Amino acid sequence: METRTNGDGIPAIDDHGMIGDLQTVALVSTEGSIDWFCAPRFDSPSLFASLLDPEKGGYFRIRAVGERMRVKQMYFPQTAVLITRFMSEDGVGEVIDFMPVADEPTVATTSRVIVRGIRVVRGTLDFRIECRPRFDYGRRPHTATASRHGVRFEDGETSAALHGVGPDVLDGDDVDTTITMATGDLRLFVFETEPSGELRDIGRARGMRLFRDTVNFWRDWLSRSTYTGRWRESVERSAMVLKLLQYAPSGALVAAPTAALPEQLGGVRNWDYRYTWIRDASFSVFSLLSLGYTEEAIAFMLWAADRVVEQVGEASGPLKIMYRIDGSSDLEEITLDHFTGYAGSRPVHVGNGAADQLQLDIYGEAMEALAIGERFRPIGNPGWTKLRGILDWLAENWDQPDEGVWETRGGRKDFTYGRIMCWVAFDRGLRIARDRGLPAPLETWTAARDAIYEQVFTKCWNPERKAFTQYPGTDVVDAITLLMPQVGMISPQDPMWISTLDAIGEELVTDSLVYRYNPAASPDGLPGAEGTFSLCTFFYVMALTDAGRLDEAEYAFEKMLTYGNHVGLYAEEVDPSGLQLGNFPQAFTHLALIRAAIDLDAALATRSARRAWT
């Protein structure tokens, strides 16, 4: 695998693997470079951010140097331990990267540890080691002090250290040194944030113990998966992505670990995804439970339930559409003007100004998550009282324009998907109340649910287009409508749905890849275009499966798997050339992959069983 660049010398977004310790992650390129790392948690300022600026962002690179060097990257089987292999006529070496998981990962700590090992398996190779941290998104300068066993970096407020290097490695206030290694040699380095005590050489014995413990953690965790279907490798990798992106101290799942990676190269659609969307709750809970990961699903469900109890939303209603991973709601959006942006894609945003948009669909997604989780953790009286309040608010507010699921900035509309999910909110609330005999204004909620149904099937249906459209009065379709049969609002065999599915296929699908909507036909208030939306492609697979079009569904799913990167990770979007764009890896895409795989595998198994009996 040759390392690809975007033209500015920066590796392609999808030329990275991911390691993590359940509180943050690091992205490691096929050049052996850590190009993104925030600490001590996902939404903290970056120490390495060369993805957003190769000069000012900072990086930690370990790579073999030499002529005609070939590079391959892989995960140590069934783990989140990443191996970058350098191969040449002179020798073969490996850079082994992992982040040890603490014994108590649910306890938030400030110290993060990245272990980087270099091993030569044949011949002799030179490795160049460059460690150039840039604190606070590169906004605070630092000093470096070398000692016998390492280098300490300090910026006046925070500190970091590189253990395992000698005293003669400094290039100004950064580390830059080259070492020569032969067959059988092993060198270990540790990058640590907020180090305590003396800097030290990790030692082979301790390094191997950390490696074994990390391997055992991931294999033990993966052994709990109940999935045994056709696409086991892809599903297991997606499950590990979700585990890596779930902040263990709170149970919240970040949408992606990165910020400001563009949806269009050189464009302005560059958002910060290091937060937790209420929208992700129902898909997260469903997918995790489907794989047998009850503990993770309940943790996220309880996090969502806490947001229901707090009700800190303002313009968005009782709930905000997203929160920080600790549940706080301060997501002020700022621009990092000193960063050039990935491939010149500016502005570089951190924080997210869409946090208090009115997006009515989130109430359905929250209720769906809680309804799914009911059999594992029933809602208590305080929580039910708060939920009643939210549904009472929704009964008075569902019939108004909102910003929509895609967080467009082109003004509010009566988006169809918002209505669909409001219907889900009342439907699930009614089910919980009736099944458990809980007090509720059943007549009011039923009237609201039925009124929404009537509106969707009359005003949101375009008889000329023969499809449910993005909002009343337009002939534009929206891929998010693919979830309509999934939530039970329409039968997947209903003629109205089949014609909608066909319309989406005609307007938004190209070679099985699915655009979420057509910005040219439905302006979203932002300049530029975007690629196909990967999660929508998996939604399309699910819709084809439910409609009984299994050959189409299987072909589309298999083709989509070819768009994953070399280690099975997916960014938010895919451009016409097959390049992955947007924040990476995106949790929602991997959630959708899991659900599509489970649904399609079950349908194919049922078809095979029927054929065996005929």
Side-chain angles (χ1 to χ4, degrees):
M1 175 182 63
E2 297 297 329
T3 300
R4 298 170 297 140
T5 72
N6 63 16
D8 292 332
I10 305 172
I13 290 170
D14 57 338
D15 269 354
H16 291 82
M18 179 173 65
I19 59 174
D21 65 355
L22 313 188
Q23 296 195 24
T24 193
V25 304
L27 298 186
V28 186
S29 79
T30 52
E31 284 281 303
S33 179
I34 297 178
D35 293 331
W36 183 261
F37 174 62
C38 299
R41 58 188 217 180
F42 295 102
D43 55 356
S44 300
S46 63
L47 278 88
F48 303 126
S50 58
L51 269 175
L52 299 181
D53 192 303
E55 298 297 326
K56 303 184 185 74
Y59 58 87
F60 181 8
R61 182 181 298 135
I62 301 178
R63 61 178 172 179
V65 293
E67 297 295 327
R68 294 188 295 277
M69 190 69 63
R70 299 181 68 243
V71 184
K72 299 284 186 179
Q73 196 174 63
M74 59 176 282
Y75 278 111
F76 195 70
Q78 297 185 304
T79 76
V81 176
L82 193 67
I83 301 176
T84 307
R85 309 189 72 227
F86 296 89
M87 294 168 283
S88 73
E89 294 178 358
D90 295 325
V92 175
E94 298 176 339
V95 176
I96 305 164
D97 290 309
F98 61 94
M99 295 179 68
V101 178
D103 293 336
E104 296 293 339
T106 58
V107 178
T109 58
T110 58
S111 179
R112 305 269 70 80
V113 172
I114 300 174
V115 179
R116 312 202 71 185
I118 308 174
R119 184 172 74 110
V120 172
V121 297
R122 180 180 63 78
T124 300
L125 288 175
D126 293 332
F127 284 86
R128 185 179 179 187
I129 303 166
E130 299 173 84
C131 186
R132 305 180 184 274
R134 297 294 182 264
F135 292 82
D136 189 28
Y137 304 113
R139 293 182 295 187
R140 290 203 303 265
H142 70 273
T143 59
T145 305
S147 62
R148 182 182 177 187
H149 293 301
V151 174
R152 186 181 299 272
F153 307 97
E154 296 179 296
D155 72 345
E157 296 184 25
T158 56
S159 64
L162 177 59
H163 303 271
V165 293
D168 301 322
V169 296
L170 289 183
D171 174 23
D173 287 313
D174 299 321
V175 169
D176 189 344
T177 188
T178 299
I179 60 175
T180 300
M181 297 178 59
T183 302
D185 288 348
L186 174 67
R187 288 288 301 274
L188 295 162
F189 307 91
V190 172
F191 184 83
E192 181 182 11
T193 64
E194 298 298 338
S196 59
E198 295 295 321
L199 305 188
R200 59 198 181 279
D201 191 328
I202 186 174
R204 180 185 288 257
R206 183 166 181 264
M208 293 302 297
R209 184 171 66 254
L210 289 173
F211 172 80
R212 286 193 299 270
D213 289 348
T214 304
V215 167
N216 290 338
F217 171 86
W218 286 106
R219 289 183 172 175
D220 289 346
W221 183 83
L222 204 58
S223 69
R224 292 164 42 198
S225 173
T226 57
Y227 181 81
T228 58
R230 291 166 173 78
W231 298 284
R232 185 169 179 176
E233 184 176 351
S234 294
V235 169
E236 287 183 345
R237 181 54 57 192
S238 291
M240 280 191 278
V241 169
L242 301 185
K243 182 66 171 176
L244 284 164
L245 297 185
Q246 186 172 36
Y247 183 61
S250 70
L253 187 77
V254 296
T258 54
L261 293 182
E263 297 173 15
Q264 179 186 31
L265 292 180
V268 301
R269 300 165 184 258
N270 316 315
W271 314 116
D272 190 346
Y273 275 24
R274 297 171 300 158
Y275 309 114
T276 304
W277 270 250
I278 288 291
R279 176 173 302 112
D280 295 0
S282 61
F283 256 82
S284 302
V285 171
F286 181 91
S287 296
L288 290 167
L289 288 176
S290 296
L291 297 177
Y293 291 115
T294 306
E295 178 182 334
E296 289 78 9
I298 290 176
F300 193 14
M301 185 184 70
L302 292 175
W303 179 92
D306 286 342
R307 308 292 78 78
V308 168
V309 171
E310 291 169 358
Q311 298 190 20
V312 299
E314 296 174 2
S316 60
L319 298 177
K320 285 182 175 288
I321 69 168
M322 71 182 89
Y323 299 81
R324 289 190 177 275
I325 50 180
D326 60 4
S328 61
S329 55
D330 176 20
L331 279 77
E332 178 186 3
E333 186 172 289
I334 63 173
T335 301
L336 300 179
D337 292 322
H338 63 292
F339 274 179
T340 59
Y342 182 87
S345 305
R346 304 180 70 181
V348 175
H349 294 296
V350 293
N352 201 307
D356 209 40
Q357 283 188 353
L358 176 65
Q359 296 181 20
L360 292 168
D361 65 280
I362 66 172
Y363 296 96
E365 283 127 4
M367 285 302 303
E368 178 82 313
L370 295 173
I372 292 170
E374 261 283 291
R375 66 183 185 273
F376 297 94
R377 186 67 64 93
I379 300 168
N381 178 68
W384 179 248
T385 299
K386 292 290 186 179
L387 277 177
R388 284 179 56 188
I390 286 178
L391 289 176
D392 290 343
W393 174 88
L394 194 61
E396 298 179 356
N397 289 277
W398 67 265
D399 193 14
Q400 61 174 308
D402 70 346
E403 270 92 4
V405 61
W406 303 125
E407 293 159 22
T408 60
R409 304 193 182 192
R412 295 182 177 184
K413 294 182 176 67
D414 295 319
F415 286 108
T416 299
Y417 183 68
R419 300 298 188 268
I420 292 170
M421 295 311 294
C422 285
W423 178 89
V424 169
F426 290 115
D427 181 73
R428 304 316 190 254
L430 287 164
R431 290 187 192 183
I432 294 171
R434 288 168 175 158
D435 288 349
R436 294 185 51 204
L438 299 175
L442 300 182
E443 291 185 3
T444 300
W445 292 359
T446 300
R449 182 194 64 181
D450 294 350
I452 296 168
Y453 183 93
E454 293 297 330
Q455 186 178 111
V456 169
F457 279 80
T458 55
K459 293 184 179 181
C460 299
W461 169 259
N462 186 317
E464 287 76 28
R465 190 72 175 89
K466 293 186 175 7
F468 293 99
T469 55
Q470 190 176 53
Y471 53 86
T474 185
D475 61 358
V476 174
V477 293
D478 191 322
I480 197 65
T481 315
L482 290 165
L483 293 180
M484 194 173 179
Q486 282 285 321
V487 300
M489 195 176 196
I490 193 171
S491 165
Q493 308 296 332
D494 190 301
M496 294 176 76
W497 172 248
I498 295 299
S499 62
T500 299
L501 181 58
D502 289 339
I504 290 173
E506 293 167 6
E507 183 172 322
L508 300 180
V509 179
T510 172
D511 191 36
S512 298
L513 298 175
V514 182
Y515 289 95
R516 53 182 178 173
Y517 57 91
N518 182 354
S522 179
D524 57 12
L526 295 166
E530 61 179 16
T532 57
F533 221 63
S534 296
L535 76 91
C536 291
T537 303
F538 290 119
F539 289 169
Y540 187 55
V541 170
M542 290 157 52
L544 291 172
T545 300
D546 288 345
R549 292 155 60 170
L550 299 188
D551 290 338
E552 291 180 64
E554 185 174 18
Y555 188 40
F557 187 81
E558 290 286 359
K559 282 201 288 187
M560 186 58 192
L561 292 183
T562 70
Y563 289 99
N565 81 344
H566 57 286
V567 287
L569 306 184
Y570 290 83
E572 184 179 23
E573 300 186 7
V574 178
D575 83 350
S577 72
L579 190 69
Q580 293 203 47
L581 295 173
N583 286 300
F584 171 87
Q586 193 199 35
F588 215 163
T589 299
H590 287 275
L591 288 165
L593 183 156
I594 291 169
R595 190 159 177 176
I598 290 172
D599 289 357
L600 180 56
D601 187 71
L604 289 171
T606 299
R607 186 177 69 177
S608 296
R610 286 173 178 169
R611 287 176 175 175
W613 285 97
T614 58

